[in-house]
Amino acid sequence: MYILAIETSCDETSCAVLKDGREVLSNIISSQIDIHKKFGGVVPEIASRKHIESINNILQEALDKAGVTFKDIDLVAVTKGPGLVGALLVGLSAAKAIAYGLDIPLIGVNHIEGHVCANFIEHKNLEPPFTCLIVSGGHTYLIQANGYTDYEMVGRTRDDAAGEAFDKVARSIGLPYPGGPMIDKLAKVGNKDRIPLPRVIIDENTYDFSFSGLKTAVLNYLNQANQRGEEISKEDVAASFQAAVLDVLVDKSFRLAKERKSDKIVIAGGVAANEGLRAMMEERAKIEGVKIYYPSKILCTDNAAMVGSAGYFNYISGKKSSLGMKVEPNLDLR
Ligand code: KG4
Ligand code: ZN
């Protein structure tokens, strides 16, 4: 089965062609980051306009790179949410037009589920059940995947998403958007024990997360240091902040894996690209006898291949969307 996948939920226009759920023939990603950078974050109106400008070219590029034409496509998969309403509409409209024109089935995909499925592309033998930590710019979930499309949500953030916290802290120390990769880089050379920061709700008997208190603690430290005329080490702030986030993410993931007797922990979403997170997970995994899975960096952040994979697994489980499907900007994980 050849799947044409479209992702336009935020600031990447991406189209991919897959053969079944795990084989990527092309995955074209056109990032708008350089445009949004000067505003310090994604500007929704600009994002929609840029998606409109590029979608047709990216579609054609994905087909060409895969060596197929529209006639070869059996299924169209598209992100229906969550995301920016105007941005989602561009991808959904294109997907509907293609499905209607070719008279082939259409499947709407939950973007968060797509992040998880990036792991099926990367790890050809990975099969559920597994414990999964989903950490992106907009979402933080701890789930138990009981099947390819059967996700039991066990914990979630009560305020900021993990990636959002990275971006906000990065901004407070003058780093450009998106701040996650920069924090990751600086953290490698900083002293993580330099600034005492809270490990928020790590001890509470819940799998939920909270990052806004941690962000405030960083801001307070910066203000006080400024008032005292102390020099601020961006490296130490990055390392101390990152360690505080990772301690909680890693601890709760392993706690859930243990509770569910799961010997696989999967990480997904943009923050899964974090090298500190990967290393800490691997280290703990050796002690606990668990195997860690994460996608290559390009499949961690937003891309259409992951949407194609999620579309495939949903389709073979019997799901299908109608041409009347609407975007769902606030779509949650089941
Ligand atoms: O999954 P994604 O591309 O978009 C959403 O669905 O939200 O995630 C983007 C987020 C941004 O917050 C970005 O700062 C973060 O992922 N990110 C990282 C790293 N690379 C990207 N955070 C920490 N370390 C990284 N290396
Ligand atoms: Zn995403």
Side-chain angles (χ1 to χ4, degrees), residues 124-172:
K124 305 295 179 206
N125 299 319
L126 174 65
E127 285 176 16
F130 52 75
T131 297
C132 180
L133 174 71
I134 310 166
V135 270
S136 76
H139 312 278
T140 304
Y141 292 105
L142 196 51
I143 65 165
Q144 187 66 21
N146 298 316
Y148 282 96
T149 61
D150 175 6
Y151 299 163
E152 178 191 345
M153 198 215 296
V154 185
R156 63 187 307 155
T157 182
R158 294 181 185 172
D159 39 57
D160 289 355
E164 191 180 355
F166 269 93
D167 295 339
K168 286 177 177 169
V169 166
R171 194 173 178 169
S172 73

Side-chain angles (χ1 to χ4, degrees), residues 111 115 136-138 163-164 166-167 178-181 184 269-271 273-274 300-302:
H111 178 88
H115 276 301
S136 76
E164 191 180 355
F166 269 93
D167 295 339
D184 194 10
V271 183
N274 187 278
C300 284
T301 44
D302 293 349

Side-chain angles (χ1 to χ4, degrees), residues 5-321:
I6 303 175
E7 153 65 38
T8 63
S9 69
C10 191
D11 58 348
E12 265 93 25
T13 315
S14 182
C15 300
V17 177
L18 277 78
K19 197 174 165 203
D20 298 334
R22 298 187 190 246
E23 193 182 334
V24 179
L25 304 183
S26 66
N27 186 24
I28 311 296
I29 305 165
S30 165
S31 175
Q32 307 173 357
I33 283 182
D34 286 340
I35 300 158
H36 297 287
K37 225 175 203 156
K38 51 178 172 288
F39 303 101
V42 179
V43 183
E45 285 298 319
I46 296 177
S48 317
R49 220 174 306 148
K50 289 289 157 195
H51 284 311
I52 293 174
E53 283 170 24
S54 29
I55 186 89
N56 284 341
N57 291 336
I58 303 296
L59 270 168
Q60 194 57 52
E61 220 182 300
L63 292 170
D64 292 348
K65 176 110 191 280
V68 298
T69 68
F70 277 120
K71 287 204 182 76
D72 299 308
I73 303 298
D74 303 300
L75 172 71
V76 185
V78 62
T79 303
K80 65 174 173 184
L84 303 168
V85 60
L88 287 165
L89 270 170
V90 178
L92 191 74
S93 309
K96 283 182 184 176
I98 295 164
Y100 179 70
L102 298 174
D103 195 19
I104 55 173
L106 172 71
I107 183 114
V109 168
N110 183 324
H111 178 88
I112 309 165
E113 224 178 286
H115 276 301
V116 179
C117 291
N119 282 283
F120 295 134
I121 296 170
E122 192 75 44
H123 307 286
K124 305 295 179 206
N125 299 319
L126 174 65
E127 285 176 16
F130 52 75
T131 297
C132 180
L133 174 71
I134 310 166
V135 270
S136 76
H139 312 278
T140 304
Y141 292 105
L142 196 51
I143 65 165
Q144 187 66 21
N146 298 316
Y148 282 96
T149 61
D150 175 6
Y151 299 163
E152 178 191 345
M153 198 215 296
V154 185
R156 63 187 307 155
T157 182
R158 294 181 185 172
D159 39 57
D160 289 355
E164 191 180 355
F166 269 93
D167 295 339
K168 286 177 177 169
V169 166
R171 194 173 178 169
S172 73
I173 51 172
L175 303 174
Y177 171 85
M182 284 295 282
I183 296 259
D184 194 10
K185 204 168 148 206
L186 294 183
K188 287 200 185 90
V189 291
N191 175 1
K192 70 177 174 55
D193 300 316
R194 168 75 196 289
I195 305 154
L197 293 170
R199 268 59 177 164
V200 184
I201 63 173
I202 195 168
D203 296 323
E204 260 183 51
N205 195 18
T206 168
Y207 287 111
D208 282 354
F209 302 96
S210 165
F211 296 109
S212 81
L214 173 60
K215 174 195 67 193
T216 308
V218 173
L219 294 178
N220 286 344
Y221 163 80
L222 293 173
N223 285 337
Q224 284 161 12
N226 270 331
Q227 276 166 6
R228 287 196 293 263
E230 282 172 23
E231 202 178 316
I232 287 160
S233 156
K234 289 184 184 182
E235 291 79 5
D236 291 349
V237 173
S240 302
F241 162 75
Q242 181 165 299
V245 175
L246 301 192
D247 277 352
V248 185
L249 293 178
V250 172
D251 192 75
K252 296 208 176 200
S253 303
F254 277 90
R255 224 191 285 170
L256 179 62
K258 196 167 197 170
E259 185 194 285
R260 298 301 175 97
K261 298 186 173 54
S262 175
D263 60 357
K264 289 177 250 180
I265 296 181
V266 170
I267 24 182
V271 183
N274 187 278
E275 289 180 16
L277 175 63
R278 292 168 170 207
M280 204 169 159
M281 283 281 195
E282 301 270 20
E283 206 174 301
R284 177 93 176 254
K286 274 190 224 143
I287 302 164
E288 312 236 0
V290 167
K291 193 161 163 36
I292 303 294
Y293 298 83
Y294 46 79
S296 52
K297 286 193 181 177
I298 194 70
L299 290 175
C300 284
T301 44
D302 293 349
N303 68 88
M306 68 184 201
V307 173
S309 178
Y312 171 81
F313 287 112
N314 273 288
Y315 184 73
I316 59 166
S317 80
K319 294 195 188 101
K320 203 183 145 185
S321 305

